[in-house]
Amino acid sequence: EGYTTAQNRQLFSEHFTALPLPTTNQTTFKLGFRDKQLEVTNTEPLLTQLLSLGESVTYGCKMGICHQCQCTKSKGVVRNILTGELSDTGEELIQLCTAQMMTDVELKA
């Protein structure tokens, strides 16, 4: 938004809020992780769910900035909750803290 100050200079400000997690009709998915089949939902990022299931996962900021939780997704589709972008169905790097399940997924640990 733009504002005019007393000296007739324009001042701009930005406001940031967290994006809501988009959802699909299906809420429960299978996650292949370290030779295990886990049941997870698409209501929270993968990192949050893995930690709540007691899995040991490397992470840092939990906000998509540091890339410490980056891993390889070998199949399935996830949505980046920051950008809304859907992943490819094949192998690619994802960040667990910003990945929301959209289909069953396999991760390489």
Side-chain angles (χ1 to χ4, degrees):
E1 296 180 32
Y3 301 96
T4 303
T5 65
Q7 294 82 19
N8 288 328
R9 294 185 185 151
Q10 197 157 19
L11 173 70
F12 291 93
S13 67
E14 293 181 287
H15 304 277
F16 299 95
T17 60
L19 294 173
L21 292 174
T23 60
T24 65
N25 291 336
Q26 183 178 354
T27 58
T28 304
F29 299 96
K30 290 183 179 151
L31 174 63
F33 183 72
R34 294 187 180 146
D35 298 323
K36 296 178 187 174
Q37 285 295 315
L38 306 172
E39 190 171 295
V40 297
T41 69
N42 66 348
T43 59
E44 294 182 296
L46 280 172
L47 177 62
T48 303
Q49 294 186 74
L50 287 169
L51 292 174
S52 71
L53 290 169
E55 296 295 329
S56 176
V57 182
T58 301
Y59 65 92
C61 68
K62 296 184 181 179
M63 298 174 10
I65 297 170
C66 72
H67 296 268
Q68 292 296 308
C69 64
Q70 189 169 315
C71 69
T72 301
K73 175 190 65 68
S74 56
K75 68 178 182 181
V77 176
V78 297
R79 179 183 306 219
N80 182 311
I81 62 172
L82 299 178
T83 66
E85 184 178 340
L86 293 175
S87 71
D88 193 316
T89 57
E91 186 170 297
E92 67 183 289
L93 289 174
I94 64 167
Q95 287 178 264
L96 295 174
C97 67
T98 61
Q100 174 195 24
M101 300 278 288
M102 300 305 287
T103 67
D104 293 342
V105 168
E106 294 284 332
L107 297 178
K108 290 183 180 177

